[in-house]
Amino acid sequence: MISTQLIAKILSYSSCKRCQTIASIGIVGLLGQTHSALAQKSDNPDVHELMRLVRLQSQQIHELQTRLSKVEKQPNIDPNKTSMKVASKTAAHPYHHTLQAGPVEPVKFSGDETPSFQKNNVTYPLKPAPPGTYAAVSDIPNNASPVMGVTSQIPSNSSTTSIGGLVLKWGQGLPTFATPDDAYSFKVRGRVLADYGATFGSRYRDLNVSRTIMRAARLGVEGHARQLSWVFEADFADNKPEVMSAFMMWSQKVQKKTLDLALGNIFNERGFDGSTGSAQTVFLDRDLVANTILPARGWYGVGGMFKAVGKDWHVAAQISGDNVNSANATTNVRDNLTYTARAHYIPWRGKNSLIHLGLWGFYEDVKPAANFSQRLRLLARTNDAFSMQLGPVVPISNSLAGGVELFGIWKSSWILFEYGARHLQFRDTLPVTSQENISDLGKSGTIQALSAQAGLFLTGETPNYFARTGMWSSPRLLHPVIDGGWGAWELSGRWDWANSSRIPSGAEAWTATLGLNWYLLSFARLTLNYTRAQVTNKTGNYIGNNSGNSIGLRSGITF
């Protein structure tokens, strides 16, 4: 027979639940025998107390048996393993978000999360930012690709929403989808510019017209994956789709400088106004320097661009053929090959002031084509016929052009001077299909243009100068309408002059424009222009001296 001492030791030291169960049954048997023996001596009081203790222990052992039976019935329990677990250390590598079909974290709505560049508890009214800083403008120019390390600084309506490991930035009406570290992003982009214009005072009745046009109706996408960014957008303003910006760009930081290499259909870098997108120019149209000193292939070209950007300067060089929408007259006619370069430098930058110097130029080798002509609108886009007419003359063989820029900021005011000239060399032989103007064969001539403009933000904003590439961008408003303010009000004036009298069938013109811009938000504005124009044409439907006036109005939004 097993002794009670041995059974107790088995219960206390054994980790095997089956052994504990057998020991418990042995104890019950021994207690039963003891209970029977003691019952025969029930007359002794000590015996009765001992029997009571035995019954109590028997009940406790029975309860232990019941618990052990339940434990043995549980599946996948290894009796040879202890119940203790050793805590493992966290992996050394950082945690990476994994995108799933639905939200993996609580959705945080507008204002709940603030981007790192806006953690300064913005209060209104804001203070003007120093000229040339990223805080002085709301975003990069709308003809550019996403810039590595440069994020919108506009605080108004720039809340974020976090869903499933992605950050949605609501800076310009539509969200930008980005990873928390901003290494990857994607957004829809576009612009809608609707113009109204009324011309009066011309001696030609046909030129006194009132028109509405859609200056731009663009829709596209942009994004970046670390150093690689891309842009694609199309315009639908002229009742037909037309590809505009369509390129990819690789950006690399080298010794505090950014090197960009872009391939695709790229907008020209050509002058201050000429390098700026249509939605961010101060007036309804660019100045006459940008519109007159223009390559034969136009504003865009398919090719490559290299750009180096420093703290106070940038240099850009571009080689391109015709833009993606051009169509050759035959199936095997070469492109116009154009070499373009532009650079700017900021020799002075202070707390309230800035000086910008710029230099640009291009050389083009022009393909054989029909007789050359050029028509320059003088009263914005709502009156195509009121223009300065150049040609037609014999085709161009090549042309060499260049220009200079001088721009300055003082507090809320700005001033800009631009000059450009283009020397044209005409062909000494004509295409088979052309027999006109034979006397102009082999001749050459120069076109010149000059622009002087100035402006003032009446509401105290810093002028919307993007120092990284030296062009206009969107202003940062101090009192946005959406936040209960009165927006930004800008008063501006411009005088333009162009002369092509030194080429066959040339012309001369000047314009004077007063403008008023009301920015409701950084990306939404109303523009009012009054323009007085004077032109002298030698060819076209309206020969001789002519003058006229125009009132123009635009509603524009860029997203």
Side-chain angles (χ1 to χ4, degrees):
M1 183 179 295
I2 303 175
S3 66
T4 56
Q5 291 84 359
L6 179 60
I7 293 174
K9 287 183 180 181
I10 292 174
L11 285 173
S12 59
Y13 293 107
S14 177
S15 62
C16 176
K17 293 181 174 57
R18 294 183 181 275
C19 295
Q20 291 176 351
T21 304
I22 294 171
S24 300
I25 294 172
I27 290 176
V28 172
L30 287 174
L31 290 175
Q33 293 177 4
T34 304
H35 183 273
S36 300
L38 291 173
Q40 297 175 1
K41 302 178 180 181
S42 58
D43 295 336
N44 192 335
D46 295 333
V47 171
H48 284 287
E49 178 63 20
L50 179 61
M51 290 178 63
R52 188 186 68 80
L53 292 175
V54 169
R55 284 195 299 271
L56 180 61
Q57 290 182 359
S58 177
Q59 182 180 358
Q60 292 175 348
I61 291 173
H62 178 72
E63 292 175 355
L64 176 62
Q65 267 188 303
T66 303
R67 290 197 300 270
L68 289 175
S69 298
K70 291 181 179 179
V71 170
E72 285 186 328
K73 290 180 181 179
Q74 292 182 2
N76 302 326
I77 294 181
D78 189 351
N80 296 321
K81 293 183 179 180
T82 63
S83 59
M84 297 178 62
K85 295 183 180 179
V86 180
S88 60
K89 295 183 178 180
T90 306
H93 58 79
Y95 175 74
H96 296 284
H97 288 283
T98 301
L99 300 183
Q100 299 181 4
V104 298
E105 58 187 42
V107 177
K108 300 177 181 179
F109 291 100
S110 59
D112 293 346
E113 184 176 322
T114 306
S116 59
F117 55 83
Q118 296 173 8
K119 291 182 179 178
N120 54 353
N121 297 323
V122 176
T123 58
Y124 292 94
L126 300 174
K127 294 181 179 180
T133 63
Y134 292 136
V137 297
S138 66
D139 210 345
I140 64 174
N142 56 31
N143 279 323
S145 66
V147 178
M148 182 175 63
V150 179
T151 311
S152 171
Q153 296 291 329
I154 186 69
S156 173
N157 198 29
S158 280
S159 56
T160 63
T161 303
S162 298
I163 299 179
L166 291 178
V167 178
L168 278 64
K169 301 177 182 178
W170 299 86
Q172 284 192 257
L174 290 178
T176 297
F177 297 86
T179 54
D181 60 357
D182 204 33
Y184 300 85
S185 72
F186 175 83
K187 67 170 287 189
V188 177
R189 61 184 271 170
R191 69 188 80 162
V192 178
L193 310 177
D195 289 4
Y196 166 78
T199 302
F200 57 94
S202 172
R203 69 187 182 97
Y204 295 100
R205 181 176 298 179
D206 293 344
L207 297 180
N208 296 320
V209 297
S210 177
R211 272 184 82 193
T212 58
I213 66 165
M214 186 63 72
R215 172 67 178 84
R218 296 192 189 181
L219 186 63
V221 293
E222 69 174 51
H224 80 277
R226 299 190 186 278
Q227 293 98 328
L228 181 66
S229 58
W230 62 90
V231 172
F232 176 83
E233 61 181 356
D235 194 278
F236 305 89
D238 295 326
N239 296 321
K240 61 179 180 179
E242 194 171 33
V243 175
M244 308 305 285
S245 294
F247 62 89
M248 68 176 182
M249 177 180 287
W250 180 268
S251 300
Q252 186 68 47
K253 289 282 188 180
V254 178
Q255 296 181 349
K256 297 183 179 180
K257 302 174 183 63
T258 303
L259 305 181
D260 297 333
L261 177 61
L263 298 171
N265 200 54
I266 309 170
F267 191 74
N268 295 332
E269 278 228 26
R270 187 179 41 81
F272 198 103
D273 252 22
S275 300
T276 301
S278 59
Q280 293 170 328
T281 56
V282 176
F283 299 90
L284 293 178
D285 207 355
R286 301 177 180 91
D287 59 28
L288 277 184
V289 177
N291 287 316
T292 305
I293 315 302
L294 181 69
R297 62 164 170 75
W299 298 87
Y300 291 82
V302 177
M305 174 185 283
F306 173 78
K307 188 182 300 182
V309 181
K311 180 181 179 182
D312 293 315
W313 59 270
H314 102 287
V315 176
Q318 181 179 0
I319 303 176
S320 58
D322 290 344
N323 86 65
V324 70
N325 305 290
S326 65
N328 290 325
T330 67
T331 57
N332 193 30
V333 177
R334 68 177 178 84
D335 282 357
N336 299 305
L337 191 60
T338 307
Y339 307 85
T340 307
R342 179 174 179 254
H344 94 282
Y345 173 60
I346 302 175
W348 167 259
R349 187 202 299 258
K351 183 178 180 181
N352 297 313
S353 58
L354 176 145
I355 296 176
H356 158 114
L357 300 176
L359 184 68
W360 58 272
F362 66 83
Y363 173 79
E364 59 178 342
D365 184 11
V366 184
K367 66 187 177 185
N371 289 347
F372 166 74
S373 65
Q374 188 175 6
R375 186 175 61 186
L376 304 173
R377 299 182 187 89
L378 301 175
L379 300 177
R381 302 290 180 114
T382 53
N383 196 328
D384 296 321
F386 198 112
S387 61
M388 185 175 79
Q389 181 70 40
L390 287 70
V393 293
V394 295
I396 304 174
S397 173
N398 58 75
S399 76
L400 177 65
V404 294
E405 316 160 15
L406 173 61
F407 175 78
I409 292 176
W410 185 70
K411 294 186 177 180
S412 296
S413 61
W414 58 268
I415 189 169
L416 171 63
F417 295 97
E418 289 200 81
Y419 171 80
R422 180 187 182 197
H423 181 77
L424 295 86
Q425 179 63 52
F426 298 102
R427 293 190 176 275
D428 54 7
T429 59
L430 286 174
V432 177
T433 57
S434 177
Q435 297 296 328
E436 299 179 3
N437 305 318
I438 296 179
S439 61
D440 296 328
L441 290 174
K443 290 186 176 182
S444 63
T446 301
I447 305 174
Q448 302 178 77
L450 176 67
S451 176
Q453 48 188 307
L456 170 67
F457 276 91
L458 304 176
T459 45
E461 278 76 11
T462 302
N464 43 317
Y465 169 71
F466 191 71
R468 187 180 189 273
T469 48
M471 61 185 70
W472 295 118
S473 187
S474 302
R476 188 187 75 158
L477 275 61
L478 305 182
H479 313 274
V481 172
I482 199 171
D483 295 317
W486 50 80
W489 292 81
E490 181 185 23
L491 184 64
S492 57
R494 184 176 74 190
W495 181 81
D496 291 327
W497 169 83
N499 189 312
S500 62
S501 59
R502 294 185 180 181
I503 68 172
S505 304
E508 185 176 6
W510 63 263
T511 66
T513 303
L514 291 176
L516 179 65
N517 290 315
W518 179 27
Y519 294 89
L520 290 79
L521 301 168
S522 64
F523 53 91
R525 71 169 178 172
L526 298 176
T527 299
L528 177 65
N529 280 182
Y530 165 75
T531 302
R532 170 73 176 177
Q534 174 76 41
V535 60
T536 302
N537 286 319
K538 296 179 181 179
T539 61
N541 296 326
Y542 308 99
I543 298 176
N545 295 327
N546 185 31
S547 61
N549 307 274
S550 176
I551 297 291
L553 178 66
R554 168 178 295 169
S555 65
I557 187 166
T558 305
F559 53 86

